[in-house]
Amino acid sequence: MHNTQPWRFRVRRYAHIIELYADPARALPHSDPAGRAIHIACGAALLNLRLAAAVAGREPVVKLLPDPLQPVLLASVRLAGPYDALPAERELYEAIARRHTNRLPFSDRPVPPAVLAELVEATTVEGAILHVLDHDEAVRVLRLARDAERDQLADPEYRAELARWIGGARDREGVPDTALGPRAFDANAPVRDFAAGRPGRRGYAWFEKHPQLAVLSVHFGDRASWLRAGQALQRVLLTATARGIAASPLTQPLETADAWLVRDPRSGHEQPQMILRIGYGLPVPPAPRRPVSQVLN
């Protein structure tokens, strides 16, 4: 959330292990009190690490939450014997640097069924579920997102948390002004309004008439499941990038006590973890990233 980049890596060189830690200093205590979003973000980083190891010719052997006495140690990756990366792994690895959140309007061209099937399969590989919403469900979920955002923006603590991470000229973290996206003419943009109440020349634009949404879920709501959700999310985003599909997340209703309402009533007892808007959009610049020296020791 908010490009906080809440991860740290530690290399245990002689053991051939890379450890992934959460960075509590980058938590969002008001929006993410349980740390769910931190685990999802770190899960996404974990998938990138797995792909990088595979492409480098080493088999990544992952253990989630390897030490109960170290709650911020989220995963360890042992670089095992030689490994011949699959073509699909190389394709996803090449997409890492090109994957950017896109808050611009998308075209009304629908994502082809074959690509949607690939995105669904990407989550299945990681033990998660992706539901591509029909029109009525998309309208319902967008309404939940707008209602949640309205309530959040009325909360001074939420606005203070946003102010730390959103806006301005940022070169290492957070969401700069250049990545906020335009306002919608009809006030129903299918993106988060990070700039509510902020001055600036963002301009206005028409967004797609029928946004295409998908909900990523897992079967349980524990920490290991959140990490699996993050790996599934990143696999979906990289697959989408490789197929020329843009994406942006919507998490507002998932940050409230009513997160269960996002679940499709036909999907049983799944735990929704991410709402994705997908479609065809113009290229956008990358978000800022911290230097390696700040995340690796």
Side-chain angles (χ1 to χ4, degrees):
M1 285 175 61
H2 310 347
N3 192 28
T4 59
Q5 304 168 55
W7 46 70
R8 293 185 296 112
F9 297 92
R10 178 190 174 203
V11 177
R12 294 172 53 193
R13 187 174 303 275
Y14 296 107
H16 302 279
I17 288 175
I18 301 176
E19 295 174 332
L20 169 62
Y21 291 83
D23 187 343
R26 296 177 169 274
L28 298 168
H30 190 68
S31 301
D32 184 37
R36 181 188 66 87
I38 283 184
H39 285 72
I40 290 175
C42 288
L46 176 59
L47 182 79
N48 286 351
L49 177 58
R50 287 168 50 196
L51 292 171
V55 170
R58 300 291 291 273
E59 180 185 6
V61 179
V62 177
K63 187 173 183 180
L64 300 181
L65 305 172
D67 187 348
L69 299 179
Q70 298 189 68
V72 296
L73 175 56
L74 302 186
S76 65
V77 179
R78 181 169 61 86
L79 304 180
Y83 181 80
D84 188 11
L86 300 172
E89 291 172 320
R90 295 184 182 278
E91 181 181 48
L92 295 182
Y93 174 78
E94 292 297 327
I96 291 174
R98 296 185 284 114
R99 190 217 65 77
H100 311 312
T101 296
N102 192 329
R103 299 181 182 89
L104 296 178
F106 294 168
S107 78
D108 288 317
R109 173 188 172 192
V111 177
V115 175
L116 294 176
E118 282 192 82
L119 302 184
V120 171
E121 175 63 20
T123 58
T124 303
V125 167
E126 299 295 337
I129 310 107
L130 189 73
H131 292 288
V132 179
L133 306 189
D134 60 25
H135 173 72
D136 290 344
E137 270 296 287
V139 169
R140 184 184 72 85
V141 169
L142 283 173
R143 187 179 301 117
L144 291 175
R146 285 193 286 268
D147 290 347
E149 185 168 68
R150 180 197 59 219
D151 294 342
Q152 288 170 323
L153 290 172
D155 185 338
E157 292 185 41
Y158 171 82
R159 294 200 306 271
E161 195 168 75
L162 274 189
R164 179 186 173 191
W165 296 102
I166 306 300
R170 298 172 176 269
D171 61 356
R172 296 190 176 193
E173 61 194 11
V175 182
D177 284 338
T178 54
L180 295 181
R183 294 180 174 90
F185 282 111
D186 59 1
N188 286 322
V191 294
R192 194 171 197 139
D193 188 5
F194 282 127
R198 289 176 50 85
R201 298 182 177 179
R202 292 171 54 210
Y204 288 84
W206 290 108
F207 282 78
E208 58 269 29
K209 186 176 181 180
H210 300 296
Q212 301 172 85
L213 300 185
V215 174
L216 189 151
S217 302
V218 290
H219 290 292
F220 304 102
D222 56 13
R223 297 174 65 211
S225 295
W226 294 339
L227 288 168
R228 293 187 185 96
Q231 293 174 87
L233 171 65
Q234 186 70 346
R235 188 175 286 273
V236 167
L237 293 173
L238 294 178
T239 301
T241 299
R243 299 294 173 263
I245 304 298
S248 61
L250 292 167
T251 60
Q252 301 95 310
L254 301 176
E255 299 160 27
T256 73
D258 293 330
W260 64 274
L261 291 171
V262 174
R263 186 182 69 226
D264 187 326
R266 298 164 293 185
S267 65
H269 299 287
E270 297 165 5
Q271 303 285 326
Q273 302 298 319
M274 182 62 66
I275 306 163
L276 285 175
R277 166 183 167 247
I278 56 176
Y280 291 93
L282 296 174
V284 294
R289 285 289 184 265
R290 291 189 288 161
V292 172
S293 60
Q294 290 189 6
V295 299
L296 181 65
N297 57 27

